[in-house]
Amino acid sequence: MQTVNSTMNEYLYRFLKKVNIIVFNMFIIDIINVILYKKFMNDKNFFLRPTSEWQRRYEALRASFVERLPAKAVADRYGYSQSYVNLLRHQFIHEKIDFNEPPPTTDKSKRRRVDSVTRSKICNWREQHLSAGEITQLLSEDGVEISIRTVERILTEEGYPKLPRRTRLKIGITTKGAEVPASSEPIAISQLSKRSLDCEIGGVFLFAPFIEKLNIHQVLKEARLPESKLIPALNYFLSFLALKLIGTERYSHTGDHSFDAGLGLFTGLNVIPKCTAMSTYSYSLDPVHLLRLQKGFVKQASKLGLYNKHIINLDFHMVPHFGEDSELETHWAGARNKRMKGALTLFAQDADSKLILYTGADIRRDEADDQVLQFLSFWKSVQKGVKPTLIFDSKFTTYTNLSVLNAQGIKFITLRRRGKNLLDQVSSLKPWKRINIPHDKRKYPNPYVYESLITLKGYQGELRQIVMKGNGHENPAFLISNDLESPVELLVSNYSRRWRVENVISESMKFFSLNALPSPILTKVHFDVVMTMIADTLYSMLADKLRGFEDCDAPKVFRHFVRGKAKVKVNTNNITVTYPRRAHNPILRAVPWHRLPTNISWLENCQLNLKFK
């Protein structure tokens, strides 16, 4: 019995001993696992939570390109913004990040020591607004190899703040090394003294005496046009006007003249403003500014006797717009024989001089009929006591508005809207009278007319009706007028000259690019139309001084006299523009320039001398 008990005790002892060894081993393993886990976590945090900025950027890029994580996930993991992660990606792709550079150390004893000469060079270059990278490159060219961070540290120690962020354009880095034009700013003649400038279209200076004669400086002052912090209103105006005078198709083509210092001098600037600045300025003009501008200009032109003011032709023109997103209404485009989106504009033309003396834009369809009354209000404020005869087509206004014109003592000549019944009555009209219209080159100078007095619905009183046939048209024309006293030949003759306003509009579309609508904003269109009116007047004033070219249109005057280079020499009190030898220079020399203004007010009253070889 004792032997059995001892044997059992021995087995139990051995069993407990083995159990203790197993438990101890498991305990040891747990301890080792804990130690290894903590070591693993520390190693993992080394990559997931880097302490240095250099390593943090590296891990962020590794997660982006190796783990293919989106920018937002990378930004959340490493504490960046999503845009900065995208910037890091861009810089890495374009090899603008160097990971061979060791992270900066905080131990001052291990920092790179820089001698006083190198430190002085770094400070001098920062005075020239050079960045740390540019300074590093210059030092490398001098044989001194230090890192960008060392340069940044020295600049910080010397008390220099960081440079403000600059665009690639300001730094001078452009695509394929393209030259960047200077920003526009007013110039002083003293800055250009004893300098010679080249002007690609030197003929623009031929208009300077006429601009001075029209007293544009005073006109703009009374119009109170807005101006920017850098460029006054007069210089903006002259920049727009210069582009019109040289036949630039669109304001977006301003870049073609961005390096023309001579053209800039004409406007009182170093160079003309860029297209964005000019468009932005034009958007700041409202109808009140443009109305004051037109009033002041027409008053000055009237004082010079440019208008006859007795007969005025009125007509609408639709400036087309080819964009998709536009709130413009659709109007009839006669040139394209269809309705299309565009800005409806009004032109009023002096019949004898063929000059435009009023424009209107931003006209809606429901406002078109009353535009004749709007023009009459403008005319009364400009030419008090002068009552012209207005000539327009049948759809220009309503019979009710004709009655209003008659009540105010305004004579008019227009067409009656003819229908089938009206045409059927022509065969029964008797007797017909043959008249003569003394117009040069008229193909049908002797039409037949029939006169009568009629009444129309909406018109108070009687109207004079003249039925005319034998004028080259298939159907007879029905002229109506409230002028009951003038000879019939005069009425027919005056109305037959209404085509002059259509010719002026056609010329404006071709040379002044009136149909090149730059924007769907209608105020911009109106300003473009006003500048066209002023440019057309200046061309007429110049042509009037050119012997043999008095009746020529703007394209021909530009082709023979304005287009071409010139050399501009600036002195303290005078500006000399020398034109090269050309076939039409004798005509320019014959112009009495001495009788025109020679001192240019917007160029510090310098004397302008025009020389023709």
Side-chain angles (χ1 to χ4, degrees), residues 56-311:
R56 191 152 68 112
R57 286 183 296 166
Y58 174 85
E59 297 298 338
L61 289 173
R62 187 181 185 281
S64 295
F65 292 103
V66 178
E67 300 180 29
R68 301 284 185 173
L69 295 179
K72 188 177 187 307
V74 176
D76 294 340
R77 176 185 290 185
Y78 295 101
Y80 288 133
S81 64
Q82 185 174 347
S83 60
Y84 185 68
V85 172
N86 292 328
L87 175 63
L88 288 177
R89 290 176 174 178
H90 172 80
Q91 291 178 337
F92 180 76
I93 291 173
H94 291 83
E95 300 179 356
K96 295 182 179 180
I97 296 180
D98 183 14
F99 286 113
N100 294 323
E101 182 180 359
T105 177
T106 57
D107 189 0
K108 296 184 179 180
S109 62
K110 297 182 180 180
R111 289 182 176 177
R112 169 74 179 272
R113 292 186 178 182
V114 180
D115 56 64
S116 59
V117 176
T118 304
R119 186 180 290 265
S120 177
K121 288 182 179 180
I122 293 173
C123 294
N124 290 335
W125 279 324
R126 174 46 65 91
E127 295 288 343
Q128 301 176 23
H129 302 285
L130 297 181
S131 65
E134 293 169 333
I135 294 174
T136 303
Q137 184 176 358
L138 292 174
L139 288 173
S140 178
E141 294 174 358
D142 291 346
V144 180
E145 298 293 341
I146 60 176
S147 67
I148 295 178
R149 298 189 183 279
T150 302
V151 174
E152 291 177 346
R153 175 174 58 82
I154 293 173
L155 292 173
T156 302
E157 292 173 354
E158 296 295 333
Y160 288 96
K162 288 186 177 182
L163 289 177
R165 185 178 295 275
R166 298 175 294 172
T167 62
R168 293 171 62 86
L169 186 62
K170 288 184 178 181
I171 296 174
I173 304 174
T174 56
T175 304
K176 298 181 180 179
E179 188 176 359
V180 180
S183 299
S184 298
E185 58 183 14
I187 57 173
I189 299 301
S190 58
Q191 299 175 351
L192 302 176
S193 182
K194 298 182 181 180
R195 285 187 55 186
S196 294
L197 306 174
D198 292 325
C199 187
E200 292 297 323
I201 306 183
V204 71
F205 284 92
L206 299 176
F207 298 99
F210 302 102
I211 295 175
E212 195 66 32
K213 193 173 182 179
L214 286 168
N215 201 9
I216 292 295
H217 185 275
Q218 184 64 27
V219 170
L220 295 181
K221 185 177 180 181
E222 294 176 357
R224 301 191 296 276
L225 299 185
E227 58 186 26
S228 66
K229 294 181 180 179
L230 297 178
I231 304 178
L234 176 61
N235 301 111
Y236 264 126
F237 174 86
L238 291 173
S239 299
F240 279 101
L241 184 59
L243 295 178
K244 280 291 180 184
L245 293 173
I246 63 179
T248 302
E249 183 179 1
R250 294 178 184 269
Y251 294 123
S252 58
H253 297 173
T254 305
D256 298 343
H257 314 289
S258 295
F259 299 96
D260 195 336
L263 187 62
L265 176 64
F266 173 79
T267 64
L269 304 170
N270 56 339
V271 291
I272 59 177
K274 299 177 178 63
C275 61
T276 303
M278 298 184 70
S279 298
T280 303
Y281 175 76
S282 67
Y283 295 156
S284 66
L285 300 174
D286 55 37
V288 176
H289 293 127
L290 299 176
L291 183 61
R292 289 199 294 254
L293 177 60
Q294 288 193 91
K295 284 184 178 180
F297 178 79
V298 173
K299 285 181 179 179
Q300 292 294 333
S302 182
K303 289 180 181 178
L304 298 177
L306 300 182
Y307 309 132
N308 183 275
K309 298 178 287 188
H310 293 299
I311 301 174

Side-chain angles (χ1 to χ4, degrees), residues 11 49 64 75 94 110 118 126 165 222 303 308 326 334-335 353 380 407 425 429 434 484 501-502 524 531:
Y11 280 118
R49 297 181 179 85
S64 295
H94 291 83
K110 297 182 180 180
T118 304
R126 174 46 65 91
R165 185 178 295 275
E222 294 176 357
K303 289 180 181 178
N308 183 275
S326 174
S353 63
K380 288 182 177 180
Q425 298 175 6
L429 299 179
R434 193 179 185 91
L484 306 179
V501 67
E502 298 176 357
K524 173 77 176 219
M531 297 306 299

Side-chain angles (χ1 to χ4, degrees), residues 19-87:
V19 170
N20 289 336
I21 291 174
I22 294 172
V23 172
F24 178 76
N25 289 339
M26 292 177 65
F27 177 73
I28 294 299
I29 291 173
D30 290 341
I31 292 176
I32 293 174
N33 287 336
V34 169
I35 294 173
L36 292 176
Y37 178 75
K38 289 183 177 180
K39 182 70 170 72
F40 174 76
M41 289 300 296
N42 290 336
D43 293 342
K44 183 179 180 181
N45 289 335
F46 177 82
F47 295 101
L48 294 180
R49 297 181 179 85
T51 56
S52 65
E53 180 63 25
W54 177 83
Q55 185 191 359
R56 191 152 68 112
R57 286 183 296 166
Y58 174 85
E59 297 298 338
L61 289 173
R62 187 181 185 281
S64 295
F65 292 103
V66 178
E67 300 180 29
R68 301 284 185 173
L69 295 179
K72 188 177 187 307
V74 176
D76 294 340
R77 176 185 290 185
Y78 295 101
Y80 288 133
S81 64
Q82 185 174 347
S83 60
Y84 185 68
V85 172
N86 292 328
L87 175 63

Side-chain angles (χ1 to χ4, degrees), residues 407-475:
Q408 298 187 26
I410 302 297
K411 303 294 183 182
F412 60 84
I413 306 173
T414 184
L415 291 177
R416 183 180 178 182
R417 300 175 186 176
R418 59 194 178 191
K420 184 178 182 302
N421 295 334
L422 199 61
L423 293 175
D424 292 340
Q425 298 175 6
V426 174
S427 59
S428 61
L429 299 179
K430 291 181 182 180
W432 291 88
K433 178 182 177 182
R434 193 179 185 91
I435 62 173
N436 177 263
I437 302 176
H439 283 183
D440 296 338
K441 300 181 181 180
R442 184 174 178 86
K443 191 173 183 179
Y444 300 94
N446 300 306
Y448 290 93
V449 298
Y450 174 83
E451 291 187 73
S452 62
L453 296 178
I454 62 169
T455 59
L456 295 174
K457 184 179 180 180
Y459 184 85
Q460 298 179 1
E462 291 184 328
L463 286 170
R464 184 180 182 181
Q465 177 176 274
I466 302 173
V467 184
M468 181 171 56
K469 66 179 182 179
N471 57 346
H473 296 278
E474 181 179 356
N475 295 322

